[in-house]
Amino acid sequence: MKSKYETMKVIYYRSKLDWYWAPVFVAFWFLLFYIVVISSFNNFPENVAIAEEMNNTDRFIGERAENVLMRLSKIGPKVVGSPANEQSAVQFLLNELSKIREDARHDIYIIQEDVQIASGNYVLWEMVNIYQSIQNVVVKVTPRNSESSSSLLLNSHYDTVPGSSGAGDSGLMIAVMLETLRVITKRETNLKHSIVFLFNGAEENPLQGSHAFITQHEWAANVKAVVNLELTGSGGREILFQSGPGHPWLVKYYGAHIVHTYASTIAEELFQNGFVPSRDRLSHFPRLWRYSGARYSAFL
């Protein structure tokens, strides 16, 4: 008669799959990855050309955004303090905003524009970061029938590191913000709250423009949530990178309303463990971070 230990041992060995099932197991997970992840990664929205705009008045025009990006990139490197950043880039944005205001539905929206010039200091990474007369271009769109004082903030930066024209980091996102602003202000929407577009002029220094807006701009007090648009690497689709802790409603809203959702959890682990020296740009608010063109990205 077998002992209780021997009986359990027999049951344990019988519950294990034989070795020749291993290729089937690996093939299953590879197939699942290919069907779910690869197909989602290559699922881009339809690109609409300028020639098709008459039949797509409420659509994001990809060709126009690309043209804006090309012209912004031709300015060259836009280092904080340089004429390219403080004069050419600011004037470029003001010219584009002027075109948007011309076509905007002023009967529906109040569009306010401001060039913030700010000086200040703060402690970052155990050092004192001091800035003087940095610039942010800020636009606020408020529905005329809105009784809400809350705002959503969209942020990205137009300054660059030395030697780069910033087409990726982060001119692409500036072009996306401009085209998004154009679409919103041309169509009749049911917006309940105002939207603040922060064209950040000093991010690479680092984070001076964000600090200046948060601590000194009058519109910052009413901001309740942030969508930060940033880029690392080249190529690939837009990815949800990080969502602020304690605000699951942001993620639920993202999943319910974004058509081409895409998110990953890999790189956030690298950030949290200090492998990537970075810090939250706008940590005072609930935030939904999105990286575009990243070969690695993260969610939560």
Side-chain angles (χ1 to χ4, degrees), residues 4-299:
K4 183 178 180 181
Y5 172 77
E6 290 176 330
T7 302
M8 292 178 63
K9 189 175 181 181
V10 171
I11 294 174
Y12 170 75
Y13 279 114
R14 285 179 178 176
S15 64
K16 292 180 64 176
L17 293 175
D18 294 315
W19 65 268
Y20 49 78
W21 287 102
V24 178
F25 180 80
V26 173
F28 169 77
W29 285 107
F30 179 82
L31 181 63
L32 184 64
F33 177 83
Y34 185 84
I35 293 175
V36 177
V37 179
I38 300 300
S39 61
S40 178
F41 184 82
N42 293 296
N43 184 20
F44 292 95
E46 179 187 357
N47 187 29
V48 181
I50 296 176
E52 304 172 288
E53 186 175 2
M54 291 296 296
N55 298 324
N56 298 276
T57 55
D58 61 344
R59 295 283 301 277
F60 185 100
I61 307 300
E63 184 181 1
R64 178 183 286 109
E66 182 181 14
N67 292 341
V68 169
L69 174 60
M70 295 297 291
R71 289 187 284 114
L72 178 61
S73 301
K74 286 181 180 179
I75 296 175
K78 295 171 281 294
V79 181
V80 175
S82 68
N85 189 67
E86 309 305 329
Q87 299 175 12
S88 301
V90 172
Q91 191 58 52
F92 174 88
L93 291 172
L94 294 177
N95 290 341
E96 293 301 314
L97 293 173
S98 177
K99 299 175 186 177
I100 292 172
R101 287 199 311 274
E102 290 178 3
D103 297 331
R105 292 287 303 274
H106 294 281
D107 58 322
I108 301 177
Y109 304 103
I110 301 172
I111 303 174
Q112 299 169 272
E113 182 182 300
D114 181 44
V115 178
Q116 180 190 17
I117 302 176
S119 302
N121 63 82
Y122 57 97
V123 177
L124 178 65
W125 301 327
E126 299 181 354
M127 66 180 181
V128 178
N129 194 314
I130 302 175
Y131 57 91
Q132 182 176 3
S133 300
I134 60 102
Q135 296 186 93
N136 291 322
V137 179
V138 195
V139 180
K140 184 177 182 180
V141 179
T142 305
R144 290 189 177 275
N145 60 354
S146 174
E147 298 180 356
S148 171
S149 60
S150 301
S151 298
L152 168 69
L153 176 64
L154 272 65
N155 173 72
S156 192
H157 66 96
Y158 59 86
D159 67 304
T160 71
V161 297
S164 172
S165 62
D169 187 16
S170 197
L172 171 61
M173 295 306 185
I174 294 297
V176 168
M177 285 176 61
L178 287 169
E179 183 61 14
T180 301
L181 175 61
R182 185 195 68 82
V183 173
I184 289 176
T185 56
K186 278 191 67 174
R187 59 185 295 188
E188 185 173 352
T189 60
N190 57 348
L191 290 181
K192 297 180 180 179
H193 312 285
S194 60
I195 304 177
V196 177
F197 291 78
L198 172 57
F199 300 92
N200 191 316
E203 190 266 356
E204 299 288 359
N205 276 27
L207 318 180
Q208 295 172 348
S210 297
H211 182 269
F213 177 81
I214 292 171
T215 59
Q216 301 179 43
H217 202 282
E218 60 178 337
W219 294 340
N222 294 325
V223 170
K224 305 302 181 182
V226 177
V227 176
N228 186 59
L229 302 174
E230 183 60 277
L231 189 140
T232 180
S234 298
R237 61 164 298 158
E238 192 172 74
I239 305 173
L240 176 58
F241 175 79
Q242 181 188 58
S243 177
H247 302 283
W249 62 271
L250 282 170
V251 182
K252 292 179 181 178
Y253 197 89
Y254 173 82
H257 296 279
I258 302 301
V259 177
H260 299 274
T261 57
Y262 192 76
S264 175
T265 60
I266 298 174
E268 177 60 13
E269 300 296 331
L270 300 178
F271 273 74
Q272 290 181 357
N273 287 280
F275 291 102
V276 181
S278 183
R279 181 166 175 159
D280 293 350
R281 268 71 169 170
L282 296 157
S283 58
H284 293 312
F285 308 119
R287 60 202 182 280
L288 185 66
W289 293 76
R290 305 175 73 185
Y291 260 39
S292 175
R295 288 307 179 189
Y296 57 87
S297 292
F299 172 60

